[in-house]
Amino acid sequence: MVTHYTSQWPWEDMSKDGDTPPAAAAVADGAHLLGFSDEILLHILSHIPSTDLVLNVRRTCRKLAALCLDKSLTHTVLLQKDYEASEDKVKQLVREIGREVQQLSMAGCYWLSGATVEHVARCRGLVKVNLAGCHLTSLRLSKVLSALQHLRSLAIDVSPGFDASQLSSECKATLSRVRELKQTLYTPSYGVVPCCTSLEKLLLYFEILDRTREGAVLSGQLMVGQSNVPHYQHLRVFYARLAPGYINQEVVRLYLAVLSDRTPENLHAFLISVPGSFAESGATKNLLESMARNVALDALQLPKSWLNGSALLQHMTFRRPFYFSFSRCALSGGHLIQRVLNGGRDLRSLASLNLSGCVHCLAPDSLLRKAEDDIDSGILETLVAACCNLRHLNLSAAHHHSPEGPGRHLCQLLARLRHLRSLSLPVCAVADSAPRADRAPAQPAMHAVPRGFGKKVRVGVQTCPSPFPGQAGPQPASVFWSLLKSVPFLDRLELIGSNFSSAMPRNEPAIRNSLPPCSRAQSVGDSEVAAIGQLAFLRHLTLAQLPSILTGSGLVSIGLQCQQLQSLSLANLGMMGKVVYTSALSDMLQHCKRLKDLRLEQPYFSANAQFFQALSQCSALQRLCLVSRSGTLQPEAVLAFMARCLHVVVCHLFTGESLSTCRSLQQSLLRSCGKCARHEVYDWTVVMLWFGAVGTLTLSCNHHPPSREPSPSSRAETLPLCPPTPVAFQPLAPVPLSVSVNLTLLGTS
């Protein structure tokens, strides 16, 4: 992060007589930054935050002053997650380059006041603006939009108190030209949808609570009396994501009722994501029947209750499909081949396929399949051959056991998908179908670490091939290692146990007595984890329920070789009664210089000085979540960590400490943050929670009340979708690729 620059650089020619300054002559024979071409410099400058670029870098020398105002840099301004963009900086940025900006994202800038956000009205050339998470009243929104006559894409929140009648005629005229709208609802309302008569893409996020803060029960019937009705005649993309709660289902039905009356002829993407069950109504049945008759879809996702037991897929028409999601549906292998793949036809256009939780999707038509039964390799081979250009694949939350025989293993078949960028697999799916001769059988998890007075396992000793350059070692022969070698450009990877359930899930009640790991998962250990180190471009990694992790040596390999890693989520590795990989994790974290998000869920984890000292080496860290039943933490280590890592904005610690310990740590952090340099930009809000016997300390860095920052009470939905997009770190749920959807595939961002 650029923070300070001098007004003149040694090689800048400030003389009027043309003489070369001595300092410039001294470096004339050597390479320096300004010796690069303009194209290279523009690429370098594109990685600098807009506020630093315009307010600091531009003032260094004449050449950089000109380059910093290049249209390629001022055309798009991204302020989301730029936590050092204070109100004064944002105002000054808008004053200096507001006329040049055409795309502006202030998503999640909850620390900016409404008066500051109102300065967006000065960017009169805006074509696309994202104001989701910003503090805006109906009147302020009206004032901003009235000035943006060229606006075509808009993202906003609709909060309690929103009143569409307060929108001016100029604002409604702007909305009538908007073609893409992303609207997050926190109250039952149509929002600005009725004003957007030219809508082509509508993205709705339902985050409505069933009760108000005063305890009153909300109802979607509040919308019935509204005179305005959404206009969908030009709609091409409809996407709705619901948080848990009956009120969200009630409100989305009102939106869908308009679609059921007249289905848009150009509709090509229809996606609805709902946690749990969502019963069909008469209007939704009419809508689906109308879509089957009148439209050809390219993207489809429906609630599982709408697909299970129906012949809907058999009557649907698909043109050039690029996105299918059948998460948790009772879809057998026969139905997958015949109804979705149309007997194995060419589906090269398909880029994303989500079969998460479809336990029968790789098995014959029989629904009596048991967990230990093998998959039908022929079904998977047909799938791979038909969808050869898949970029995102999700097969998690199911037991996919490969049969014996050469070339029939799931990993060997998936290795043919050379274009994969994100992949989610159950742990048992990567296990070799038969024990290898060069590897001793894995010991049961309960005997991973000897008890009593026996010889202890040396924690942190590497058992996998050395990841250091120049030290050649025998290459692993596992099918998982071969799969990862075939997809070197993988960006996201999930390896999650089939029976894994989070201790603090978001969409369903916590399960105290979770199911044990799959028996085949016992053969997946440190060497398989070390194989992930081949993925040099990996940025997001999730590992959950790997019972045979003995030392965690594979984590060290990942830390050394996956230098692009930004998000890491680890849960239930090794024995549940004792953490044996702490030393290896500490070694790994020392090499993760680009890590921004870390989520660790492990019972009996000791968050001691060694752990926080290693975590302090992650200089880019912004979000930390630790969930550890019966775990411990050292308050002094937490204080030292927060003092070193100045970019941390979210810190959730769920451990077994007492409430008094949490309160003491709270007060210490408040005192220390008051003396910290970042206090000039942020106010530190420390929230104390108490869950049964679990002491919880939640820290959030806010300039205003944290109404939009992820928190333990957040209702942000995490849904089993695929493929992924970078999303805000979810502190109370794993961060798997199966929880998000890439809307760029729908032509949005």
Side-chain angles (χ1 to χ4, degrees), residues 441-521:
Q443 297 295 327
M446 65 181 64
H447 302 302
V449 176
R451 298 186 180 184
F453 297 98
K455 184 177 179 180
K456 297 183 179 297
V457 174
R458 293 183 62 194
V459 178
V461 178
Q462 286 185 270
T463 59
C464 58
S466 174
F468 294 99
Q471 296 184 7
Q475 298 292 354
S478 70
V479 290
F480 183 56
W481 187 90
S482 301
L483 167 62
L484 298 184
K485 183 180 180 181
S486 302
V487 287
F489 298 105
L490 207 63
D491 176 76
R492 293 174 181 255
L493 176 64
E494 280 186 354
L495 205 56
I496 303 177
S498 305
N499 296 327
F500 173 73
S501 58
S502 175
M504 302 187 93
R506 186 180 297 279
N507 297 327
E508 57 273 336
I511 301 175
R512 288 286 181 176
N513 299 320
S514 58
L515 296 174
C518 175
S519 58
R520 290 207 184 186

Side-chain angles (χ1 to χ4, degrees), residues 273-595:
S273 303
V274 183
S277 60
F278 185 26
E280 275 189 297
S281 63
T284 57
K285 289 182 179 179
N286 294 336
L287 171 61
L288 296 177
E289 292 175 359
S290 177
M291 286 196 301
R293 291 193 307 266
N294 303 321
V295 300
L297 295 177
D298 294 332
L300 177 66
Q301 177 177 352
L302 297 175
K304 63 179 182 180
S305 56
W306 296 12
L307 288 175
N308 290 344
S310 71
L312 179 64
L313 290 178
Q314 192 172 356
H315 303 290
M316 282 285 185
T317 303
F318 300 106
R319 187 170 40 196
R320 288 181 54 83
F322 59 85
Y323 179 92
F324 282 147
S325 179
F326 304 108
S327 176
R328 306 288 177 178
C329 293
L331 186 69
S332 68
H335 292 162
L336 177 65
I337 297 299
Q338 297 301 325
R339 298 182 182 180
V340 179
L341 303 182
N342 195 15
R345 66 172 181 174
D346 186 358
L347 284 180
R348 299 183 191 180
S349 59
L350 193 64
S352 175
L353 178 62
N354 181 12
L355 298 174
S356 172
C358 298
V359 296
H360 310 297
C361 66
L362 299 181
D365 292 337
S366 175
L367 299 182
L368 301 178
R369 176 177 180 265
K370 299 179 181 179
E372 60 270 14
D373 292 342
D374 293 338
I375 64 173
D376 187 338
S377 298
I379 295 176
L380 182 58
E381 191 168 6
T382 302
L383 171 65
V384 170
C387 311
C388 57
N389 290 328
L390 271 179
R391 297 174 61 87
H392 312 279
L393 178 62
N394 192 335
L395 295 174
S396 63
H399 296 271
H400 296 314
H401 299 168
S402 300
E404 301 287 346
R408 302 182 64 190
H409 197 282
L410 178 141
C411 291
Q412 293 174 323
L413 295 174
L414 294 184
R416 303 177 187 177
L417 300 175
R418 305 286 181 168
H419 301 284
L420 278 179
R421 294 298 179 269
S422 64
L423 178 63
S424 180
L425 293 175
V427 176
C428 57
V430 305
D432 288 340
S433 54
R436 302 197 309 269
D438 61 338
R439 174 176 174 177
Q443 297 295 327
M446 65 181 64
H447 302 302
V449 176
R451 298 186 180 184
F453 297 98
K455 184 177 179 180
K456 297 183 179 297
V457 174
R458 293 183 62 194
V459 178
V461 178
Q462 286 185 270
T463 59
C464 58
S466 174
F468 294 99
Q471 296 184 7
Q475 298 292 354
S478 70
V479 290
F480 183 56
W481 187 90
S482 301
L483 167 62
L484 298 184
K485 183 180 180 181
S486 302
V487 287
F489 298 105
L490 207 63
D491 176 76
R492 293 174 181 255
L493 176 64
E494 280 186 354
L495 205 56
I496 303 177
S498 305
N499 296 327
F500 173 73
S501 58
S502 175
M504 302 187 93
R506 186 180 297 279
N507 297 327
E508 57 273 336
I511 301 175
R512 288 286 181 176
N513 299 320
S514 58
L515 296 174
C518 175
S519 58
R520 290 207 184 186
Q522 302 287 350
S523 61
V524 179
D526 292 313
S527 60
E528 281 75 17
V529 173
I532 300 175
Q534 301 176 84
L535 304 176
F537 299 96
L538 188 68
R539 293 194 300 167
H540 308 275
L541 175 63
T542 298
L543 300 174
Q545 201 180 38
L546 278 76
S548 293
I549 296 295
L550 300 182
T551 64
S553 56
L555 297 175
V556 183
S557 176
I558 295 175
L560 286 169
Q561 297 176 285
C562 302
Q563 291 294 306
Q564 304 297 322
L565 194 63
Q566 297 181 9
S567 175
L568 176 64
S569 179
L570 304 176
N572 296 0
L573 303 186
M575 296 179 58
M576 294 298 291
K578 185 175 182 179
V579 185
V580 296
Y581 63 92
T582 304
S583 180
L585 177 62
S586 299
D587 292 341
M588 174 194 186
L589 292 176
Q590 295 179 17
H591 304 287
C592 298
K593 301 302 182 183
R594 299 189 181 184
L595 189 66

Side-chain angles (χ1 to χ4, degrees), residues 161 163 238 382 392 548 558 625 653 687:
D163 187 358
F238 181 88
T382 302
H392 312 279
S548 293
I558 295 175
C625 178
L653 304 176
V687 183

Side-chain angles (χ1 to χ4, degrees), residues 89-146:
K89 288 183 178 180
V90 172
K91 293 177 182 178
Q92 188 176 355
L93 178 70
V94 171
R95 283 196 297 267
E96 298 201 17
I97 64 168
R99 296 182 179 180
E100 308 296 329
V101 180
Q102 296 187 22
Q103 297 186 21
L104 173 64
S105 177
M106 301 178 70
C109 292
Y110 55 86
W111 61 88
L112 298 179
S113 65
T116 300
V117 178
E118 195 174 317
H119 281 66
V120 173
R122 299 187 178 185
C123 306
R124 297 183 178 273
L126 276 178
V127 177
K128 183 175 184 178
V129 63
N130 189 338
L131 301 176
C134 296
H135 298 272
L136 278 177
T137 62
S138 303
L139 291 176
R140 278 206 166 103
L141 178 65
S142 177
K143 182 176 180 180
V144 170
L145 296 184
S146 297

Side-chain angles (χ1 to χ4, degrees), residues 601-661:
E601 179 176 333
Q602 188 75 39
Y604 303 99
F605 187 84
S606 176
N608 52 25
Q610 177 191 6
F611 169 74
F612 280 109
Q613 175 65 31
L615 195 59
S616 301
Q617 303 298 316
C618 303
S619 55
L621 191 69
Q622 295 181 355
R623 298 169 180 84
L624 169 65
C625 178
L626 173 61
V627 180
S628 181
R629 185 180 291 120
S630 302
T632 61
L633 64 84
Q634 295 181 2
E636 298 79 8
V638 177
L639 292 171
F641 160 72
M642 296 298 291
R644 294 191 194 100
C645 294
L646 301 181
H647 297 293
V648 174
V649 293
V650 175
C651 180
H652 294 279
L653 304 176
F654 300 87
T655 67
E657 294 294 340
S658 64
L659 182 59
S660 60
T661 301

